[in-house]
Amino acid sequence: MNTAVLSSKGLARKAALLIPALLACYLIWGSTYLAIRFALVSFPPFFQMGTRFLAAGVLLMGWLLWRGANAPGRWPVPNREQWRNALVVGTLMLGGGMGLTASAEQHIGSGLIAAFIAVVPMLVCGWGFLFGQRPSRLEFVGMAVGVAGVFLLVRGASFSASPVGIACIAAATLAWSLGSVLSTTRLPLAQGPMGFASEMLCGGAVLMLVSLALGEQPAWPAQPLALAAWLYLVVFGSLIAFSAYLYLLANASPATATSYAFVNPLIALFLGVAFAGEAVTSGEWIACGVVLAGVFLIFRGKTQPKHE
């Protein structure tokens, strides 16, 4: 009886955390694209992302160790295998995913970048198929519709004028989605926040190595708006929203975890137009709608019961 009560309490606590985690991914991540653009004024892409995740990782890991990570009821320090997994997943999701996203924003508006990233659920389906997870018929339809939307999007004025931007954001979405799949299938991270911290530390270190190799130089002194944007990315974009996303990957279905792709583009597009003067043509709005329709079909396909 006591075990059943404890189990029900644990399930209730997990369910209660799902809503705040979803809201963090929906609202905060939708605004981070504009923050990345503002921070680029003083901080180049890989340096910006590397310092962002290293700072967040150090803060989170330090807090966990201070609380006593190995004490009863706490999260244990990652072992060697979990550090290796964090390095691989962090390299993909942060080194490739976030570093190349920031690079793409040097060439293309933040709102349209967010719209392109809406293809992540489609790519997650594709990677899952390679790992033996057969998508449903509706998911296949959603993937086809989403690809059509991406084709329309890249033919718009913003993307067609920047082949470099297209290459960066396409590689970013491939890396991010592969890292998401591996973290839940082949390369599990350490439990709880320790997994988040280890991934941010490893991914941040890789980003800084890339920044060093590229010879990136931040502009000192940093502009106040750029510094404020960077701090927002560390606290809200990394410590809160990114941790919320990893929590969803571990405790919710893939469809739920990636459902932020419905909301992020709309928030990012609105903020980009309203606060950064980004131009979005009518054709690009239509393309965004087609992409989101594809994402919706995939979401429906994942949530419908599968018939033998």
Side-chain angles (χ1 to χ4, degrees):
M1 183 68 175
N2 289 338
T3 303
V5 171
L6 290 174
S7 177
S8 69
K9 285 183 177 179
L11 291 173
R13 188 181 300 111
K14 181 181 294 187
L17 289 173
L18 288 178
I19 300 300
L22 281 170
L23 289 176
C25 290
Y26 289 172
L27 303 178
I28 296 174
W29 260 355
S31 65
T32 55
Y33 297 97
L34 184 61
I36 290 171
R37 177 172 176 176
F38 286 156
L40 282 171
V41 174
S42 296
F43 305 114
F46 287 93
F47 178 87
Q48 177 193 147
M49 293 294 106
T51 53
R52 163 192 174 182
F53 286 111
L54 278 179
V58 167
L59 288 171
L60 182 56
M61 181 67 77
W63 179 72
L64 292 170
L65 293 175
W66 176 75
R67 294 183 69 218
N70 288 314
R74 306 297 188 189
W75 293 282
V77 174
N79 58 35
R80 181 177 299 180
E81 181 181 353
Q82 290 167 335
W83 276 113
R84 181 207 65 191
N85 294 349
L87 178 60
V88 175
V89 174
T91 298
L92 288 168
M93 294 185 70
L94 306 185
M98 296 308 303
L100 290 172
T101 294
S103 297
E105 287 204 32
Q106 293 179 307
H107 309 280
I108 300 170
S110 60
L112 291 174
I113 290 294
F116 193 106
I117 290 176
V119 304
V120 164
M122 304 168 205
L123 295 176
V124 168
C125 281
W127 290 119
F129 180 72
L130 293 179
F131 288 116
Q133 301 172 356
R134 181 174 175 80
S136 67
R137 185 175 302 175
L138 192 56
E139 288 176 89
F140 271 121
V141 173
M143 292 170 70
V145 171
V147 168
V150 170
F151 179 72
L152 291 173
L153 189 62
V154 299
R155 292 190 64 188
S158 299
F159 279 95
S160 60
S162 180
V164 173
I166 294 176
C168 286
I169 195 57
T173 52
L174 284 169
W176 177 275
S177 57
L178 177 58
S180 296
V181 172
L182 289 176
S183 70
T184 58
T185 55
R186 307 295 177 85
L187 302 173
L189 302 176
Q191 295 180 2
M194 273 295 177
F196 314 155
S198 61
E199 181 179 351
M200 288 191 284
L201 287 172
C202 291
V206 170
L207 282 159
M208 292 306 294
L209 288 175
V210 174
S211 176
L212 183 63
L214 293 175
E216 291 183 338
Q217 294 292 331
W220 300 111
Q223 292 191 13
L225 179 59
L227 183 58
W230 182 86
L231 289 171
Y232 179 83
L233 290 169
V234 170
V235 176
F236 291 91
S238 298
L239 288 174
I240 297 177
F242 186 72
S243 295
Y245 176 63
L246 291 178
Y247 178 84
L248 290 172
L249 284 177
N251 296 281
S253 68
T256 300
T258 56
S259 63
Y260 67 88
F262 292 118
V263 185
N264 285 179
L266 300 177
I267 294 175
L269 283 165
F270 170 77
L271 292 176
V273 172
F275 296 102
E278 296 177 359
V280 181
T281 66
S282 58
E284 288 168 337
W285 280 109
I286 292 172
C288 293
V290 175
V291 171
L292 292 179
V295 176
F296 175 75
L297 291 173
I298 290 174
F299 184 80
R300 289 287 298 169
K302 286 184 177 296
T303 53
Q304 284 184 350
K306 294 183 178 179
H307 302 287
E308 299 294 336

